[in-house]
Amino acid sequence: MPTRTIDGYCLGIESTADDFSVGIVTFKGEILANVISAYMPPEGGIHPREAARHHAEVANKVLEEAFQKAGIKRKDLKVIAFSQGPGLGPCLRTGATVARALASYLGIPLVGVNHCVAHIEIGKLKTNTVDPVTLYVSGGNTIVAAFDSGRYRVFGETLDIALGNCLDVFAREAGLRQKPGEPFGAVVEKLAKGGRRLIPLPYAVKGMDMSFSGLLTAAVNLLKKGERLEDLCYSLQETAFSMVTEVTERALSHTEKKEVLLTGGVAANKRLQEMVKTIAEEHDAKFCVLPSQFAIDNGAMIAWTGVLAFTHGVVTPIHESFVRLRWRLEEVEVPWVK
Ligand code: ATP
Ligand code: FE2
């Protein structure tokens, strides 16, 4: 049974894309539960409505499991947090509905949390960083961000598809197979180890922003022309990871921050970790990567950000709890960060 330091907990609901997750944390940042249920499409990419149906189906079970793991009762909760955006409409709405219902039933406040802010906050909590340059790379996001004058600012981002999506689509086009629960990015990573030749692919950094769709198309075309799969996986990784690493390095050099935080599903990639660690060291900055359960979409990050917001006076009345599909990181005030 986890130790409890104060009698009050925040429950966070994450449902922006293919994961439905519930986390329960104390106001001091102890994570008592972080239960994640991933929707696996039978084939192809995620269909928002089908993912949302999955979320509705598993919501009760995931909530029950989270309460059991945390060893607390519903009435012990002080606040409910939910990911309000950005994300897929039907998925976000399902999580928001569960959150509203719980908060109204229990008569406690609701806090709408920005998903990208939550990735950064859980990263800071779990790696003991204070003011990092964050590289957040997942299936839906590619963002280099850092705090400046009251907000997290986006220093660079993708202009089209996300890095993880680029790896996933390449893997699907190549007909690669996954083991149950294994992400396509991990399959590409394994194959890349067998790469012997760096094949030139479009490297697209424009200012501080990146583009991955030309790279993806070129890699798929070369595969169809008979280039070796392992060489392409290797070259795809080297090219795409160099792009995000270059932008991260420039943000680091511009901001002169002393910490680099790597998060999102793609953060699990050892080659990416190595590249980002190298630039961090060159700038005398501490390199931190999150363990997978906190790097992927998870309820604990929403719960923890809910605590930070709530203890700094942020609450979301039900009539303002509509989901925000395109809610950008720099729109969010973060009064808890100094
Ligand atoms: P978000 O809603 O934040 O965009 P998401 O729904 O894409 O998140 P995540 O679990 O954060 O979910 O990220 C999944 C992505 O991470 C997928 O594109 C997957 O292929 C990629 N990924 C997972 N493991 C690895 C790995 N070892 N190497 C590269 N990519 C990986
Ligand atoms: Fe995410």
Side-chain angles (χ1 to χ4, degrees), residues 18 115 136 138-141 164 167-168 183 185-186 189 265-266 269 296-297:
D18 51 345
H115 178 88
Y136 161 34
S138 63
N141 290 280
L167 300 173
D168 294 346
E189 179 176 21
V266 188
N269 191 292
I296 64 172
D297 292 350

Side-chain angles (χ1 to χ4, degrees), residues 14 16-19 46 86-87 115-116 119 136-142 162-169 178 182-190 237 241 263-270 272 292 295-297 301:
E14 158 58 36
T16 48
D18 51 345
D19 294 318
I46 22 169
H115 178 88
C116 304
H119 271 292
Y136 161 34
V137 273
S138 63
N141 290 280
T142 307
L163 173 54
N165 189 237
C166 173
L167 300 173
D168 294 346
V169 175
Q178 314 159 270
E182 185 184 34
F184 269 133
V187 181
V188 172
E189 179 176 21
K190 245 188 256 162
Q237 279 199 172
F241 295 172
T263 189
V266 188
N269 191 292
K270 292 281 184 291
L272 177 62
S292 177
I296 64 172
D297 292 350
M301 72 181 190

